[in-house]
Amino acid sequence: MNQWEVVIGIETHAQLATVSKIFSGASTAFGAEPNTQACAVDLALPGVLPVLNKKAVECAIRFGLAIGAEVAQKSVFARKNYFYPDLPKGYQISQMDLPVVVGGNITLQVGQGDKAYEKVVRLTRAHLEEDAGKSLHEDFHGKSGIDLNRAGTPLLEIVSEPDMRSSDEAVAYAKALHALVRWIGICDGNMQEGSFRCDANVSVRPKGQAEFGTRREIKNLNSFRFLKEAIDFEVQWQINEIEEGRKIQQATVLFDPDSGETRMMRSKEDAHDYRYFPDPDLLPLIISSDWINRVKGELPELPGQKRERFVNELGLSAYDAITLTASQEMADYFESTVAIAGKANAKPCANWVMVDLAARLNKEGKELVESPVSAAQLAGLIQRIADNTISNNIAKKVFEALWNGEGATADDVIEKQGLKQITDSGAIEALVDEVLAANPANVAEFKAGKEKAFNALVGQVMKAAKGKANPQQVNDLLRQKLAAG
Amino acid sequence: MINASLKQLSQALAAKQISSVELTQLFLDRINRLNPALNAFVTVDTEKSLNSARAADARIAAGTAGLLTGIPIAQKDIFCAEGWRTTCGSKMLANFVSPYDATVIRKMEGEAGLVSLGKTNMDEFAMGSSNETSYFGPVRNPWDNGRVPGGSSGGSAAAVAARLAPAATGTDTGGSIRQPAALCNLTGLKPTYGVVSRYGMIAFASSLDQAGPMAASAEDCALLLNSMAGYDERDSTSLERPAEDYARDLDKPLAGLRIGLPKEFFGEGCDAEVMAAVRAAIAEYEKLGATTVEISLPNSHLSVPAYYVIAPAEASSNLSRFDGVRYGFRAEDYGNLDDMYMKSRAQGFGAEVKRRIMIGAYVLSHGYYDAYYLQAQRIRRLIANDFVEAFKVCDVIMGPTSPSTAFTLGEKAADPVQMYLSDIYTIAVNLAGLPGMSVPCGFAGGLPVGLQLIGNYFAEAQLLNVAHRYQQACDWHLRRPAGIE
């Protein structure tokens, strides 16, 4: 494995969040009764013609702007010809030679914590096209049913350069892209419903070799987990093949989540000749700079811009900034927290969102939007840490109480459960004296140079204070007394 | 009444000399009596027609009638009309009843109040120049029952020539309005590409197809075009221009009109008697004050080869929707999906359609696309440029519509190239997207000869004026075949 380098490029189909289809007025809503959202155009009745939905074009422009790509002034729709029952016209309207978005890149964070690194993945292009319908192979007694509700749903096909070198990088890319399309509001990102699906082009080559190996394309991966599993299996399969003296043949493969294996769908020899040609029913798509500027004005602050601001204005590390901008929800939550807790508390806010809250959500399998602790509640908690009302340790208790709905605010919980930190130095001094008197052995050990004994004494004091004594004051007083005694 | 002009019919209806129901019944009776010998109509629905006529009479009574309200016409069976069987001359659609109206139908019948007498026979999917490729059998030329009426709008041409209808619609991809008009002594107009909506008109070659009127006179054509033309948001290739009255210039004097005579249209390959009639017509124009200038369309010899790449390429894709899955013909016995496709299409399409689908698939296929399709597109631009140059020195171009008069049934059916050459003068006009007309200009061997007029872009009103003044000066267009009345 070590002498092999993995090369991955990803093609993603993102369903665009338009109300109607890309070339007809029918609804794009998911889940309707079969064939109730397919109009004459979607059914490809004789004589019907496509009319381009401008909203779909705006989605493409938004995406192009968000990745720093060129939005083509002129792009052309082409017909991709093939026969399939869920493709009513016998061709798919797509873009071939002149796509609407060219170039651009996405910055992502791969791995976590100390092993994390930043990576820039270049994009080749993104183009507009229509989705096909669905073939339903169950419940029809040996026949297939066709549901054309999805036919004509707008897609943005986003093609990356073969820049990824591991399944982790591939997943990080897919997640970053997934977050971005949701961030700019062009795709709902619902992977179960097929709104966001990836094809992975995978090849391996000996490390140091300049040319790419022969690639195989894994089709239709609709979860990040499948993406990783499929690539990992495929990579190992390709290495085994080569090591056993066989050549990789270019092919399209499918991933079977049950077996965890990829299997061949068609070889290069069986590849369709799609007979692409410009669609004579549609004029070239001309996008004026005015249009681009208008869309630019409507764009939200993008992840990259936010990151920069988090670093420059809030003093966060690059790692924190990237993590907090991994999704719009997380960035929003963080910013709402900071808005209340104050910029001076940005770092603790970041830590609480990225670490404590994230861990708690993860444990319960909840999404951030489902968090029982609101940004305002968390901000209130962080404020009480900052003003020494509670210690970090007590804060975790308060957080847990808020999570369980045991109080409306941090103050409420602190009050009800009597968690307010003891900062009265007289009270703490009394506790310290008590502990010193009761633990002569520890005192002796400390005086003999064992620092560990000091920690034990701190622990005793905190225990006596039921955790509520200000730790700094406890420390200071103990040292003072021990030095004096 | 059966030989009346549209204006006369309009006046008779307005003056209540006849009702639309009576007028419609009059033509339905003629269809009933004469159609079996001609085979001009493939579908007649007396009740539907009379219902429309009743609605028209109600509009006339209510004073909300337009100029054409209540006048019966024949519709080429290429236009989808709600509730009407719409076959496009093919077994593939022999049982297809359209659930929607083409824009042309909506405008002519729904808005203008014209009454449909039925759907006229045509070459299958408009592919043919003789009306012999129709699944419903050939149409006979009313001037000689042993001869073809031309095609593909042969049913419409025969119907009007035999006065089974006062006027008709046609469509013209390479000459399908002008050539049958010439062979049946009618006036026919193919407008500038984009003037009449293609929505609901079953596509043959999308970048060339254009609907237009076929009638006894230029004046009738102008009135019909007024009811057909106009921007349609359902057709992306329809042109957004202000509405115009195509009859506005009918009576303008022709003094100073510059007629361009392309030397390529007056050389070899045209029947001598046809040429004599055309030259006599041009002499008549000179009497009316026009001057002539010899021009050159140097690339016109490439128009037939370029056309037989571009039109089949588009057709091969346009006809993919006829796959037996959702509507139309499906073979009875098939093993699997591919077998169903192959048998349905093999049995559902006729020989000429299959020939063109195969040519089209071939010229678009990988490795041939550049040599055929792209090269043909380059020629197309050269041909369009030829006309741009020509119109710098003339206002209208004239020549023969067809190199021969109506040929006998079966004469060219076995030789596709001979058949294709019958459109040698008309095809360049479609490739350039220009408006063209055919106007009756005499007889050769007792058969009608057509004079072709080609105008600059959007010069329909001028072409109609040029044709109308000629028709004021001579009466070729008023000649009727023997036995009509």
Side-chain angles (χ1 to χ4, degrees):
Chain A
M1 177 80 205
N2 276 335
Q3 71 270 31
W4 297 99
E5 182 176 48
V6 178
V7 175
I8 303 162
I10 292 184
E11 290 169 26
T12 306
H13 288 90
Q15 266 183 16
L16 299 176
T18 56
V19 175
S20 59
K21 294 186 176 178
I22 185 167
F23 297 119
S24 85
S27 166
T28 55
F30 180 84
E33 281 291 298
N35 298 310
T36 56
Q37 287 179 181
C39 68
V41 174
D42 306 319
L43 294 171
L45 291 185
V48 296
L49 295 170
V51 177
L52 179 60
N53 180 346
K54 288 212 164 58
K55 294 285 178 203
V57 179
E58 292 203 358
C59 289
I61 299 174
R62 282 173 94 89
F63 181 74
L65 291 171
I67 59 163
E70 180 205 337
V71 176
Q73 273 192 334
K74 177 185 171 180
S75 62
V76 168
F77 287 97
R79 293 185 183 178
K80 178 182 183 178
N81 294 283
Y82 65 96
F83 286 99
Y84 205 70
D86 60 23
L87 187 72
K89 294 188 293 297
Y91 58 85
Q92 178 195 29
I93 304 176
S94 180
Q95 295 189 306
M96 181 64 179
D97 290 336
L98 295 173
V100 65
V101 171
V102 180
N105 58 66
I106 291 182
T107 302
L108 36 121
Q109 176 106 10
V110 190
Q112 283 185 332
D114 297 341
K115 289 179 197 151
Y117 60 96
E118 205 177 300
K119 167 129 193 157
V120 176
V121 173
R122 295 166 301 154
L123 298 191
T124 314
R125 60 184 278 164
H127 66 253
L128 286 164
E129 63 183 27
E130 57 179 341
D131 210 344
K134 278 182 189 162
S135 297
L136 310 167
H137 299 297
E138 287 135 34
D139 312 327
F140 292 96
H141 309 288
K143 294 183 177 180
S144 289
I146 307 294
D147 177 6
L148 294 176
N149 283 351
R150 200 182 65 180
T153 299
L155 298 176
L156 191 65
E157 181 173 336
I158 302 158
V159 183
S160 85
E161 290 286 303
D163 281 354
M164 287 145 278
R165 295 292 174 270
S166 67
S167 59
D168 286 337
E169 288 188 3
V171 170
Y173 164 78
K175 284 186 171 168
L177 186 63
H178 183 253
L180 180 65
V181 295
R182 289 166 64 232
W183 188 295
I184 59 175
I186 66 169
C187 173
D188 69 15
N190 191 324
M191 297 177 83
Q192 282 82 42
E193 292 176 4
S195 299
F196 186 91
R197 22 190 224 270
C198 295
D199 304 336
N201 281 291
V202 179
S203 65
V204 298
R205 62 179 170 188
K207 275 196 179 141
Q209 179 182 301
E211 314 86 70
F212 292 132
T214 304
R215 67 171 195 269
R216 303 211 312 164
E217 182 181 21
I218 315 168
K219 280 275 181 201
N220 257 333
L221 297 161
N222 66 353
S223 84
F224 299 125
R225 185 163 67 88
F226 293 164
L227 178 64
K228 181 164 169 54
E229 287 176 10
I231 292 172
D232 287 341
F233 176 87
E234 179 65 22
V235 164
Q236 199 49 55
W237 183 87
Q238 289 190 15
I239 291 170
N240 289 347
E241 286 289 295
I242 297 169
E243 286 181 342
E244 284 169 28
R246 287 186 288 272
K247 280 193 168 171
I248 303 297
Q249 307 292 329
Q250 195 176 324
T252 303
V253 304
L254 284 177
F255 176 68
D256 178 357
D258 295 331
S259 67
E261 296 179 359
T262 55
R263 63 186 158 79
M264 182 140 100
M265 193 163 94
R266 58 174 180 263
S267 70
K268 195 191 175 191
E269 286 72 39
D270 311 328
H272 288 114
D273 180 350
Y274 289 116
R275 290 174 279 117
Y276 277 100
F277 75 108
D279 191 331
D281 287 333
L282 291 161
L283 303 175
L285 170 58
I286 306 295
I287 300 177
S288 67
S289 46
D290 282 357
W291 195 3
I292 295 174
N293 286 334
R294 188 164 57 71
V295 174
K296 198 181 270 174
E298 293 163 3
L299 270 183
E301 188 183 23
L302 297 168
Q305 295 165 328
K306 249 192 220 301
R307 259 172 235 156
E308 229 168 85
R309 192 162 55 76
F310 287 179
V311 171
N312 295 338
E313 289 182 19
L314 303 179
L316 299 187
S317 67
Y319 174 82
D320 287 356
I322 291 185
T323 308
L324 288 168
T325 52
S327 76
Q328 175 101 57
E329 289 84 0
M330 193 184 243
D332 283 351
Y333 192 99
F334 168 70
E335 291 207 81
S336 305
T337 310
V338 172
I340 298 167
K343 282 189 184 178
N345 288 319
K347 179 61 187 166
C349 287
N351 286 344
W352 272 93
V353 173
M354 286 160 45
V355 183
D356 303 275
L357 177 62
R360 194 67 180 85
L361 289 167
N362 201 29
K363 190 176 157 197
E364 304 270 322
K366 278 186 155 62
E367 295 297 322
L368 185 54
V369 288
E370 303 167 305
S371 170
V373 180
S374 70
Q377 287 175 317
L378 184 62
L381 174 65
I382 290 165
Q383 281 173 314
R384 293 293 85 83
I385 302 170
D387 66 12
N388 279 329
T389 305
I390 52 173
S391 67
N392 259 315
N393 272 338
I394 294 294
K396 292 188 200 310
K397 273 193 194 171
V398 176
F399 177 80
E400 193 58 27
L402 288 170
W403 182 279
N404 294 323
E406 290 162 18
T409 62
D411 286 338
D412 192 18
V413 173
I414 293 166
E415 174 68 31
K416 269 199 251 176
Q417 305 195 4
L419 297 172
K420 193 168 182 316
Q421 187 160 261
I422 302 166
T423 50
D424 171 5
S425 51
I428 296 174
E429 193 174 352
L431 290 170
V432 167
D433 288 340
E434 250 173 59
V435 167
L436 287 175
N439 296 281
N442 288 114
V443 174
E445 276 175 37
F446 176 75
K447 289 198 168 157
K450 283 192 179 169
E451 187 62 23
K452 240 175 138 184
F454 182 78
N455 293 340
L457 290 167
V458 172
Q460 291 294 330
V461 176
M462 292 306 283
K463 194 177 169 191
K466 298 198 178 78
K468 292 184 289 183
N470 179 301
Q472 196 55 50
Q473 280 176 289
V474 171
N475 262 298
D476 293 348
L477 273 166
L478 259 177
R479 289 215 183 266
Q480 224 175 298
K481 297 257 171 188
L482 286 165
Chain B
M1 203 57 86
I2 66 153
N3 282 313
S5 71
L6 297 191
K7 209 181 215 175
Q8 289 166 333
L9 291 176
S10 179
Q11 285 160 354
L13 285 163
K16 313 259 164 66
Q17 288 165 356
I18 191 166
S19 71
S20 175
V21 167
E22 289 162 339
L23 191 58
T24 301
Q25 191 63 59
L26 178 72
F27 283 101
L28 287 171
D29 289 345
R30 286 183 64 79
I31 293 168
N32 197 30
R33 187 151 50 85
L34 299 170
N35 190 59
L38 292 172
N39 201 25
F41 283 84
V42 292
T43 305
V44 175
D45 186 328
T46 305
E47 256 331 285
K48 280 181 89 68
S49 296
L50 291 174
N51 279 337
S52 299
R54 281 180 207 110
D57 282 332
R59 276 180 69 176
I60 293 167
T64 59
L67 190 69
L68 301 179
T69 305
I71 297 176
I73 51 158
Q75 298 285 12
K76 185 174 180 180
D77 203 19
I78 199 167
F79 296 104
C80 286
E82 190 179 337
W84 284 88
R85 185 175 74 141
T86 301
T87 72
C88 221
S90 182
K91 178 180 180 182
M92 190 57 92
L93 292 174
N95 293 311
F96 176 72
V97 176
S98 176
Y100 79 104
D101 274 342
T103 298
V104 161
I105 300 287
R106 177 176 57 77
K107 288 177 79 83
M108 297 183 91
E109 298 178 23
E111 292 170 21
L114 286 150
V115 174
S116 176
L117 290 166
K119 308 293 287 289
T120 59
N121 204 343
M122 56 182 283
D123 279 301
E124 184 178 8
F125 288 105
M127 297 177 190
S129 308
S130 68
N131 222 306
E132 291 166 294
T133 72
S134 170
Y135 172 65
F136 301 95
V139 177
R140 310 274 170 164
N141 190 322
W143 291 87
D144 179 342
N145 272 5
R147 293 180 186 269
V148 304
S152 66
S153 311
S156 287
V160 180
R163 306 312 291 169
L164 304 189
T169 52
T171 62
D172 190 317
T173 305
S176 283
I177 287 174
R178 290 160 289 160
Q179 185 254 18
L183 271 46
C184 292
N185 208 46
L186 299 180
T187 307
L189 168 64
K190 179 206 94 75
T192 306
Y193 183 79
V195 162
V196 177
S197 169
R198 294 187 297 112
Y199 186 78
M201 182 177 125
I202 299 176
F204 161 15
S206 313
S207 74
L208 300 159
D209 296 343
Q210 186 62 200
M214 303 177 78
S217 69
E219 182 190 66
D220 286 359
C221 284
L223 299 180
L224 282 176
L225 186 58
N226 279 345
S227 74
M228 298 173 82
Y231 170 68
D232 180 9
E233 59 180 16
R234 288 177 179 274
D235 175 0
S236 308
T237 62
S238 110
L239 295 158
E240 211 167 348
R241 310 178 78 246
E244 54 179 301
D245 174 11
Y246 294 100
R248 67 183 184 275
D249 290 335
L250 283 178
D251 293 318
K252 255 172 111 167
L254 299 186
L257 181 78
R258 298 171 302 165
I259 299 172
L261 304 176
K263 60 181 185 197
E264 293 81 4
F265 287 8
F266 290 87
E268 283 177 15
C270 186
D271 178 270
E273 278 190 81
V274 167
M275 193 50 81
V278 168
R279 287 197 184 279
I282 292 162
E284 184 66 36
Y285 270 107
E286 288 176 319
K287 281 192 215 159
L288 292 170
T291 58
T292 62
V293 53
E294 188 187 85
I295 56 164
S296 178
L297 301 170
N299 293 293
S300 59
H301 66 290
L302 297 172
S303 60
V304 170
Y307 176 88
Y308 279 98
V309 171
I310 293 167
E314 293 180 8
S316 71
S317 176
N318 283 334
L319 270 60
S320 293
R321 70 189 57 198
F322 306 111
D323 57 4
V325 173
R326 298 169 314 289
Y327 54 80
F329 177 78
R330 184 190 289 189
E332 293 211 347
D333 299 306
Y334 49 87
N336 56 27
L337 178 64
D338 281 342
D339 195 40
M340 191 278 279
Y341 281 146
M342 282 190 279
K343 284 186 175 147
S344 298
R345 289 169 63 84
Q347 295 165 25
F349 289 135
E352 183 61 27
V353 171
K354 281 187 268 194
R355 177 181 296 123
R356 297 200 196 188
I357 289 173
M358 283 191 286
I359 293 170
Y362 179 81
V363 299
L364 288 177
S365 59
H366 189 70
Y368 297 97
Y369 181 82
D370 290 5
Y372 290 101
Y373 184 78
L374 279 188
Q375 188 68 3
Q377 292 292 5
R378 280 184 209 110
I379 292 171
R380 184 173 187 173
R381 280 192 291 277
L382 293 177
I383 287 168
N385 284 338
D386 284 354
F387 283 107
V388 170
E389 288 304 310
F391 283 118
K392 287 177 180 169
V393 298
C394 66
D395 305 309
V396 59
I397 294 169
M398 291 191 190
T401 302
S402 169
S404 72
T405 54
F407 40 93
T408 54
L409 283 160
E411 188 180 327
K412 297 183 181 180
D415 186 346
V417 174
Q418 275 310 306
M419 188 70 88
Y420 297 167
L421 285 173
S422 62
D423 292 327
I424 191 160
Y425 302 127
T426 48
I427 276 176
V429 175
N430 299 79
L431 290 170
L434 292 165
M437 282 188 82
S438 183
V439 178
C441 71
F443 289 82
L447 294 167
V449 175
L451 171 73
Q452 184 175 215
L453 316 181
I454 303 168
N456 212 335
Y457 296 104
F458 308 114
E460 285 80 7
Q462 184 189 33
L463 284 183
L464 289 159
N465 161 233
V466 171
H468 178 70
R469 293 298 296 205
Y470 177 73
Q471 291 178 340
Q472 300 304 107
C474 49
D475 68 349
W476 301 116
H477 66 293
L478 298 178
R479 309 282 178 92
R480 300 282 181 258
I484 287 309
E485 193 87 321

